[in-house]
């Protein structure tokens, strides 16, 4: 397609994240145009809203197949709940060559690899939306680490929500390792060059008494005595959304990025990164030369670390990964 044309999107999943995505699409008409919305849940407010929000005026369908029979689109963007990602990806491969899926691709490393293998078989480009990789601070520090080059002796990753997540909503989010810390595990994959750690040790804490961990920590040990320490919480003592990374070199020098003093909420912190994903995907669909922001291997490794962290926190034991290899992850 011509470089100046907006990419025609079929958007799948009109829940909380989906509505945020629709609003960002509407702000970038030079890059994308949402021509179809897919929401199988008839209880979703978009099915009954009169009038609909100004950013959600595209025709609404229950399936991608129904949308394809009515509307011509160039690509599919998936924002439905993670448990439904594999099915949505499988359906989308029948109607497009380009799929962008919210993080994570799937809940297990095996399912992640299956999704990428299917897309490779069908000749479909599958991209995963790890929005922190689009953050200018993280991208700049990663470039510095690669270009210098810098050996990472240790690192500290912090993610703390604000405003405080209500108890009822907290129950719907599930594991803190899966919903919040998956971003930190993915950054660990990025900065450590997709190296598999030799051990994972994690702990969870339930401070609300509702049976859900709302605080967690994890230590990733790598060969040569290198460690990454991850900590996360569903609330921030500073009453601001906190998310930053400190990299420690072998000489003790500390390189830091992510502390945004004027960002109080998640969207204030990451709206720019979410927005940057839109022209990036549009460029890929136009088949322009764009460096891929993530790989099948990094997505599979992220899912593995999330799973092992949960198992470690549940058992109270450190889990060793000696000999484990992810080389079977398909290369696209």
């Amino acid at each position: 397609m011509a470089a100046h044309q907006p990419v025609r999107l079929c958007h799948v999943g009109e829940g909380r994240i989906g509505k945020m995505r629709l609003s960002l699409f509407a702000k970038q008409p030079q890059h994308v145009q949402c021509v179809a919305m897919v929401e199988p849940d008839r209880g979703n407010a978009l099915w009954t809203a009169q009038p609909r929000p100004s950013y959600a005026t595209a025709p609404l369908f229950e399936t991608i197949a129904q949308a394809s029979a009515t509307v011509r689109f160039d690509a599919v963007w998936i924002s439905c709940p993670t448990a439904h990602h594999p099915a949505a990806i499988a359906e989308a491969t029948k109607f497009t060559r380009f799929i962008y899926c919210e993080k994570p691709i799937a809940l297990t490393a095996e399912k992640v690899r299956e999704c990428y293998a299917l897309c490779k078989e069908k000749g479909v480009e599958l991209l995963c939306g790890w929005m922190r990789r689009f953050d200018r601070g993280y991208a700049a520090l990663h470039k510095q680490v690669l270009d210098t080059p810098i050996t990472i002796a240790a690192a500290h990753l912090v993610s703390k929500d604000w405003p405080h997540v209500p108890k009822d909503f907290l129950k719907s989010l599930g594991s803190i390792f899966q919903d919040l810390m998956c971003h930190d595990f993915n950054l660990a994959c990025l900065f450590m060059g997709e190296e598999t750690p030799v051990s994972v040790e994690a702990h969870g804490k339930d401070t609300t008494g509702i049976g859900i961990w709302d605080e967690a920590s994890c230590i990733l040990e790598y060969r040569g005595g290198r460690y990454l320490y991850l900590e996360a919480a569903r609330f921030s003592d500073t009453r601001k959304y906190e998310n930053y990374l400190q990299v420690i070199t072998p000489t003790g020098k500390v390189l830091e990025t992510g502390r945004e003093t004027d960002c109080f909420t998640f969207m204030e912190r990451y709206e720019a990164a979410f927005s940057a994903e839109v022209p990036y995907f549009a460029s890929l669909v136009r088949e322009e030369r764009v460096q891929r922001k993530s790989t099948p291997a990094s997505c599979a490794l992220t899912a593995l670390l999330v799973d092992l962290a949960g198992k470690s926190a549940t058992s109270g034991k450190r889990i060793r990964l000696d000999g484990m290899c992810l080389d079977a992850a398909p290369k696209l």
Side-chain angles (χ1 to χ4, degrees):
M1 62 183 300
H4 67 278
Q5 291 180 325
V7 171
R8 295 164 60 87
L9 287 181
C10 172
H11 183 250
V12 181
E14 313 308 343
R16 180 174 60 95
I17 294 297
K19 291 182 176 65
M20 178 274 291
R21 285 296 188 187
L22 289 174
S23 68
L24 292 179
F25 296 157
K27 294 177 182 178
Q28 302 185 68
Q30 73 276 29
H31 296 300
V32 297
Q33 178 187 6
C34 182
V35 297
M37 301 184 298
V38 173
E39 176 50 63
D41 179 11
R42 281 277 181 171
N44 185 285
L46 284 184
W47 279 107
T48 57
Q50 294 295 334
R52 288 184 192 164
S54 59
Y55 56 77
T57 57
L60 186 60
F61 303 91
E62 290 186 77
T63 67
I64 301 173
Q66 290 175 357
S68 179
T70 306
V71 180
R72 181 179 65 83
F73 51 82
D74 306 307
V76 173
W77 191 300
I78 297 172
S79 300
C80 58
T82 303
H84 301 295
H85 284 178
I89 289 169
E91 186 183 11
T93 61
K94 301 173 183 177
F95 305 104
T96 185
R97 291 175 47 232
F98 302 95
I99 302 172
Y100 201 88
C101 184
E102 305 290 351
K103 64 80 188 171
I105 292 292
L107 293 170
T108 68
E110 180 182 6
K111 278 294 183 183
V112 170
R113 290 194 287 269
E114 287 178 5
C115 288
Y116 276 107
L118 173 64
C119 288
K120 183 177 182 180
E121 176 188 336
K122 300 288 188 180
V124 174
E125 181 96 46
L126 173 61
L127 287 305
C128 186
W130 296 103
M131 85 285 185
R132 290 189 190 178
R133 294 188 178 216
F134 292 83
D135 177 82
R136 286 175 294 182
Y138 287 118
L141 180 55
H142 182 239
K143 186 176 186 301
Q144 181 182 356
V145 168
L146 291 179
D147 291 350
T148 304
I150 294 170
T151 297
I152 298 177
H156 182 206
L157 297 96
V158 176
S159 294
K160 295 184 179 181
D161 276 330
W162 189 259
H164 199 295
V165 179
K167 290 183 180 181
D168 289 343
F169 188 47
L170 188 61
K171 291 180 181 179
S172 71
L173 294 176
S175 168
I176 190 171
F177 296 108
Q178 179 69 62
D179 182 69
L180 179 58
M181 291 183 75
C182 65
H183 290 287
D184 300 299
F185 288 119
N186 189 257
L187 282 180
C189 294
L190 176 66
F191 277 83
M192 299 304 287
E194 299 181 3
E195 179 181 348
T196 302
V198 298
S199 73
V200 176
E201 181 178 353
H203 302 274
K205 186 177 181 181
D206 173 15
T207 67
T208 63
I210 62 172
I212 298 289
W213 293 324
D214 56 338
E215 287 187 52
S217 62
C218 182
I219 298 174
L220 302 178
E221 177 191 2
Y222 292 83
R223 289 184 295 273
R226 296 165 296 146
Y227 293 88
L228 269 61
Y229 178 63
L230 290 62
E231 62 173 308
R234 291 297 187 183
F235 57 89
S236 170
D237 294 333
T238 64
R239 303 178 72 83
K240 293 180 180 179
Y241 182 83
E242 292 185 86
N243 180 220
Y244 59 89
L245 165 66
Q246 294 172 318
V247 167
I248 299 109
T249 71
T251 61
K253 184 177 181 179
V254 178
L255 307 173
E256 182 177 307
T257 189
R259 289 188 196 264
E260 303 288 343
T261 57
D262 58 345
C263 293
F264 291 86
T265 67
F266 171 74
M267 279 307 295
E268 286 178 339
R269 176 66 179 83
Y270 279 112
E271 184 173 0
F274 277 122
S275 297
E277 292 177 87
V278 176
Y280 163 76
F281 185 50
S283 295
L284 284 171
V285 177
R286 295 182 187 120
E287 301 189 71
E288 299 170 6
R289 297 186 64 180
V290 179
Q291 183 179 5
R292 273 49 175 175
K293 292 285 188 178
S294 64
T295 67
S298 70
C299 291
L301 180 54
T302 298
L304 176 67
L305 296 179
V306 166
D307 179 56
L308 294 179
K311 290 178 177 176
S312 173
T314 299
S315 67
K317 298 179 180 179
R318 182 172 59 142
I319 298 177
R320 296 199 61 85
L321 291 84
D322 298 46
M324 183 172 289
C325 179
L326 291 181
D327 291 343
K331 306 295 184 183
L332 296 186

